[in-house]
Amino acid sequence: MTIFSARYTAFYVSFLPLLFSPLALAASETNDQTLIVSATPQSVSELDTPAAVSVVDGEDMRLATPRINLSESLTSVPGLQVQNRQNYAQDLQLSIRGFGSRTTYGIRGIRLYVDGIPATMPDGQGQTSNIDISSIQNIEVLRGPFSALYGNASGGVMNVSTETGHEPPTIEASSYYGSFGTWRYGLKATGALGDGTQPGDVDYTVSTTRFTTHGYRDHSSAQKNLANAKLGVRIDDTSKLALIFNSVDSKADDPGGLTESEWQVDPQQSPRAEQFNTRKTIKQTQAGLRYERQLSVQDAISIMTYAGERETTQYQSIPIDPQLKPSHAGGVITLQRHYQGIDNRWTHRGELGIPVTFTTGLNYENMSENRKGYNNYRLVDGVPEYGQKGDLRRNERNLMWNVDPYLQSQWQLTQKLSLDAGVRYSSVWFDSNDRYIAPGNGDDSGDASYHKWLPAGSLKYAITDAWNVYLAAGRGFETPTINELSYRSDGQSGMNFALQPSTNDTIEIGSKTRIGDGLFTAALFQTNTDDEIVVESNNGGRTTYKNAGKTRRQGGELSWDQRFAGSWRVKAAWTWLDATYRSNVCGDQNCNGNRLPGIAQNMGFASLGYVPDEGWYAGADVRYMGDIMANDENTAKAPSYTVVGLNTGYKFYYSSLMVDLFGRVDNLFDKTYVGSVIVNESNDRYYEPAPGRNYGIGINLAWRFE
């Protein structure tokens, strides 16, 4: 049997142009020359991949955690700044090496995938609301120049792989109860018919979760229903088909930001939210098909196609006076989006004097959006009653699509030296058709297109079998999203077509060393960006954007993950990131040299746990976040903080039943701090406070049908 070495193919299996594959495409040749495709999940190799990459295991993410937010378990990844806004209307604040920190909601600057299906729209706007932690197999986080291979993103790539069912069938029920009326409960069923090697074998994973909370702050309650399903079918000896389905339905109040004085007096208050009844509802359903076939020992193809729809309604805290202007779009936004895409690729492994692997493919995505705006009030006896959908103020249909051919290759130059090189040509088109024409609000239809070559490459040298060093370089490309194009800072109607895409060039050196049953990694990098897209103003929940000329990010990342003495485990990570403007973006006041807002200069994480397979377990973690500038002028900032968490639990087995009881406390020393900031908020309401000491208990039950 010939199995392609994980040392040389792990990068291609999980982190290759745009389509992630959870299959290790291992080919074996029997006496009658029949090829067998292995269905064993293959994670990317942290040691051997010539880029900064971290893999977080799903079991670790579920150990004594609420399973509600990715911020619970991704703080151990260096270079990744993930913060819970305590605002479920706006999603997490997540950035990689500072890319994505500007966004007031959703995820920017990072490409997100769940089982190969993008959780990032074609325009670059992503969300984590459809990720169910209960069914995650692992999360792979790629940082640095190789993110250029994924098209419309700058900071990196996050790939979520869900569990693949196997024998015997298992049903799991889980529940968590915590402070602020937080309650999450869910069901999961996994299993298989056959071992996955014979035609007709089937595997399945189905999960559903409901989450409700009163929220830490006033007017911050939320509820979310989430469902995921993955069905795999072995078609024949050389091919497999997978069906992936996901649905999310959420309703959340939006507490908004506070000024510094409001935060100091009462961090739980939400004065504007109560007045305007700010809130958001989201409904999203999507499905995808992935077909993989081993053509020969050397060749494999993969085809992935998906489609989905997303509906959003948001009420913002905009007073009546600005809405009286004919060009204003109102304080209520309704969006209906339909999106779909297809990615085809061919991988060949062979010899050209030296071992060579190359993958070539074509990716196509498109999205249509119906965007409407309404007044967020109704007049009652001449007095505005906010939080009500009023008259229509905007009506347009927006289209965005992209076509990206790509090529990636790996050359094993010597036994110790390898070269990875690839290129992607990214083309993005945008077209807006204005259907709301009124006095003072003319026809604002328009179109734009963006094109960019995105090369990337790296050299890796294996000093020993357990120690690799690498040098990598690449170019990133990030277009404005439809939301970023939707509003102009001059108060006029229409799209902000003056906003241009940003491009960045990154160079990185790194070292990875296996130490016993552990891994130590280090990376140094520098990224120079032209036309960076930054926040120009943020008022009442509405944000406008501009290009900032030149910026520079330079820094270092360290991580250590070690198991020792059987059941003990220690994790540690440190990030230093110096992100500054290299040109003036502040008009009369010179901001050249100022720190980019929304980005911590230093982040640290450390944890120690005793985690046996059964019996008592316990753990402690410490998280440090440096101060974060809130505006371009650097006149306001969120102070640095350090918080501590503790957890303990007991796991035991009785026949085919597994029982796991646990409890945890977060912010053990009741630290008062700001969890996230709203960048360049026009009324100085930058601060989104984090809760003090809070508690939770949970139980997980699993029954195996053996």
Side-chain angles (χ1 to χ4, degrees):
M1 177 179 290
T2 301
I3 298 179
F4 297 116
S5 169
R7 179 185 180 98
Y8 301 133
T9 65
F11 183 77
Y12 300 95
V13 171
S14 289
F15 272 127
L16 205 72
L18 208 55
L19 178 61
F20 294 98
S21 169
L23 297 181
L25 293 178
S28 65
E29 192 168 6
T30 63
N31 293 334
D32 57 1
Q33 303 299 306
T34 299
L35 295 172
I36 305 296
V37 178
S38 169
T40 304
Q42 173 87 29
S43 178
V44 65
S45 168
E46 290 184 81
L47 176 64
D48 295 309
T49 301
V53 60
S54 299
V55 180
V56 182
D57 187 74
E59 288 298 324
D60 294 340
M61 298 178 68
R62 291 185 285 272
L63 181 65
T65 63
R67 306 189 192 179
I68 296 171
N69 297 301
L70 294 179
S71 56
E72 301 160 7
S73 48
L74 294 186
T75 52
S76 62
V77 177
L80 176 64
Q81 181 177 311
V82 53
Q83 297 172 280
N84 185 350
R85 302 178 193 268
Q86 303 301 316
N87 184 346
Y88 290 94
Q90 307 298 353
D91 214 333
L92 298 175
Q93 191 175 69
L94 192 153
S95 65
I96 293 179
R97 294 182 176 177
F99 289 102
S101 61
R102 70 175 182 270
T103 182
T104 54
Y105 69 95
I107 310 300
R108 283 293 285 125
I110 302 168
R111 294 289 289 180
L112 302 173
Y113 296 86
V114 180
D115 288 325
I117 297 178
T120 299
M121 298 289 177
D123 65 344
Q125 181 77 45
Q127 59 279 323
T128 62
S129 58
N130 66 325
I131 298 175
D132 183 12
I133 297 175
S134 292
S135 60
I136 290 176
Q137 178 70 33
N138 58 54
I139 295 182
E140 301 160 345
V141 182
L142 175 67
R143 313 178 297 279
F146 266 111
S147 64
L149 293 174
Y150 302 90
N152 196 0
S154 292
V157 182
M158 182 179 294
N159 177 40
V160 180
S161 298
T162 62
E163 295 176 330
T164 298
H166 54 80
E167 295 180 318
T170 302
I171 293 180
E172 178 183 339
S174 62
S175 188
Y176 176 85
Y177 308 87
S179 301
F180 321 119
T182 300
W183 185 20
R184 181 204 58 81
Y185 55 95
L187 288 171
K188 180 176 68 173
T190 63
L193 301 176
D195 61 4
T197 63
Q198 302 300 316
D201 286 353
V202 175
D203 61 76
Y204 60 89
T205 299
V206 181
S207 65
T208 181
T209 299
R210 178 169 173 80
F211 161 69
T212 62
T213 183
H214 299 158
Y216 162 65
R217 297 180 58 196
D218 298 339
H219 201 80
S220 64
S221 64
Q223 63 182 45
K224 181 171 73 171
N225 299 317
L226 180 62
N228 288 280
K230 183 167 72 172
L231 176 68
V233 180
R234 169 69 60 198
I235 299 175
D236 53 36
D237 290 340
T238 62
S239 60
K240 183 177 180 181
L241 183 68
L243 169 66
I244 300 104
F245 173 82
N246 172 266
S247 177
V248 61
D249 184 349
S250 70
K251 299 179 181 178
D253 291 332
D254 186 351
L258 300 178
T259 66
E260 184 176 9
S261 60
E262 289 172 336
W263 167 53
Q264 296 288 352
V265 171
D266 180 8
Q268 292 184 271
Q269 66 176 304
S270 180
R272 270 75 57 185
E274 297 288 353
Q275 177 186 4
F276 292 90
N277 192 16
T278 50
R279 60 197 188 274
K280 179 187 284 189
T281 60
I282 297 173
K283 294 182 179 180
Q284 177 177 294
T285 302
Q286 65 182 29
L289 281 172
R290 184 176 63 242
Y291 174 75
E292 296 179 284
R293 184 175 186 87
Q294 193 78 28
L295 301 176
S296 67
V297 174
Q298 294 179 310
D299 298 279
I301 60 170
S302 179
I303 302 172
M304 183 274 292
T305 182
Y306 69 94
E309 60 180 9
R310 182 177 177 90
E311 297 182 0
T312 303
T313 301
Q314 181 180 8
Y315 288 75
Q316 300 175 310
S317 58
I318 299 177
I320 186 174
D321 288 346
Q323 298 181 70
L324 296 177
K325 299 178 181 179
S327 60
H328 200 277
V332 179
I333 304 170
T334 66
L335 304 174
Q336 293 84 37
R337 289 179 166 179
H338 297 268
Y339 55 93
Q340 47 271 318
I342 185 169
D343 191 293
N344 307 285
R345 72 173 183 176
W346 167 47
T347 298
H348 175 80
R349 299 172 175 87
E351 295 274 344
L352 288 176
I354 56 176
V356 175
T357 301
F358 70 82
T359 295
T360 184
L362 181 69
N363 172 253
Y364 170 75
E365 299 175 318
N366 71 63
M367 177 177 69
S368 64
E369 174 193 82
N370 292 316
R371 176 182 290 265
K372 294 183 179 181
Y374 300 85
N375 289 332
N376 67 342
Y377 66 88
R378 292 185 182 274
L379 292 176
V380 180
D381 296 329
V383 178
E385 184 177 311
Y386 292 110
Q388 305 289 328
K389 183 188 288 187
D391 296 334
L392 180 69
R393 302 298 303 276
R394 185 174 193 167
N395 185 6
E396 65 195 27
R397 186 168 188 260
N398 300 314
L399 302 174
M400 178 166 275
W401 65 98
N402 66 271
V403 178
D404 290 21
Y406 55 82
L407 172 67
Q408 171 72 12
S409 64
Q410 194 231 21
W411 307 73
Q412 194 63 40
L413 304 178
T414 69
Q415 186 176 2
K416 292 182 175 292
L417 183 65
S418 64
L419 168 67
D420 288 79
V423 66
R424 184 186 191 94
Y425 185 68
S426 187
S427 298
V428 182
W429 290 268
F430 175 79
D431 182 72
S432 179
N433 298 284
D434 192 357
R435 298 173 175 175
Y436 181 78
I437 313 297
N441 190 325
D443 188 349
D444 295 307
S445 301
D447 59 78
S449 63
Y450 316 104
H451 310 272
K452 186 66 65 174
W453 285 98
L454 304 175
S458 73
L459 279 170
K460 184 191 70 176
Y461 184 76
I463 298 176
T464 69
D465 290 341
W467 183 13
N468 294 328
V469 294
Y470 66 90
L471 171 66
R475 174 168 295 166
F477 174 61
E478 188 175 343
T479 68
T481 67
I482 292 179
N483 286 317
E484 291 169 343
L485 289 168
S486 292
Y487 302 102
R488 294 166 50 176
S489 59
D490 58 10
Q492 297 301 307
S493 63
M495 311 299 288
N496 184 12
F497 286 115
L499 197 61
Q500 296 298 308
S502 65
T503 58
N504 63 78
D505 295 301
T506 299
I507 187 168
E508 175 183 316
I509 59 172
S511 172
K512 303 179 180 184
T513 307
R514 181 72 64 186
I515 306 173
D517 193 10
L519 182 68
F520 177 79
T521 69
L524 295 172
F525 62 89
Q526 179 173 288
T527 301
N528 293 315
T529 304
D530 291 325
D531 292 324
E532 175 134 4
I533 301 172
V534 299
V535 173
E536 183 166 13
S537 65
N538 193 311
N539 195 351
R542 175 161 298 165
T543 309
T544 64
Y545 297 86
K546 64 181 179 181
N547 293 109
K550 297 181 181 295
T551 64
R552 174 176 293 171
R553 292 167 171 84
Q554 55 188 0
E557 299 164 352
L558 299 173
S559 71
W560 179 42
D561 185 354
Q562 188 77 41
R563 296 180 184 271
F564 62 96
S567 299
W568 289 90
R569 186 175 186 181
V570 61
K571 283 187 175 183
W574 185 268
T575 302
W576 170 69
L577 176 58
D578 181 36
T580 58
Y581 288 114
R582 309 300 291 178
S583 57
N584 183 31
V585 297
C586 297
D588 295 337
Q589 182 177 343
N590 189 0
C591 290
N592 190 1
N594 282 11
R595 287 171 54 188
L596 271 66
I599 303 172
Q601 195 167 51
N602 290 279
M603 294 187 297
F605 173 86
S607 68
L608 176 65
Y610 176 67
V611 285
D613 292 335
E614 58 182 300
W616 286 106
Y617 61 86
D621 60 82
V622 180
R623 182 164 63 96
Y624 170 77
M625 185 72 67
D627 59 14
I628 298 175
M629 294 300 171
N631 58 6
D632 291 334
E633 294 82 8
N634 288 184
T635 57
K637 66 179 179 180
S640 62
Y641 62 87
T642 302
V643 291
V644 177
L646 298 177
N647 70 80
T648 187
Y650 187 79
K651 180 190 292 186
F652 66 92
Y653 295 86
Y654 180 78
S655 183
S656 296
L657 177 67
M658 185 279 293
V659 180
D660 181 7
L661 295 163
F662 68 89
R664 63 178 300 111
V665 56
D666 290 295
N667 196 358
L668 177 65
F669 299 107
D670 202 23
K671 175 71 174 179
T672 299
Y673 69 100
V674 172
S676 61
V677 300
I678 302 173
V679 172
N680 285 339
E681 212 287 334
S682 301
N683 297 295
D684 298 339
R685 301 166 188 156
Y686 305 112
Y687 305 105
E688 294 181 293
R693 186 185 301 114
N694 58 97
Y695 308 87
I697 58 172
I699 182 171
N700 305 315
L701 304 171
W703 179 269
R704 295 166 61 92
F705 293 88
E706 296 180 297

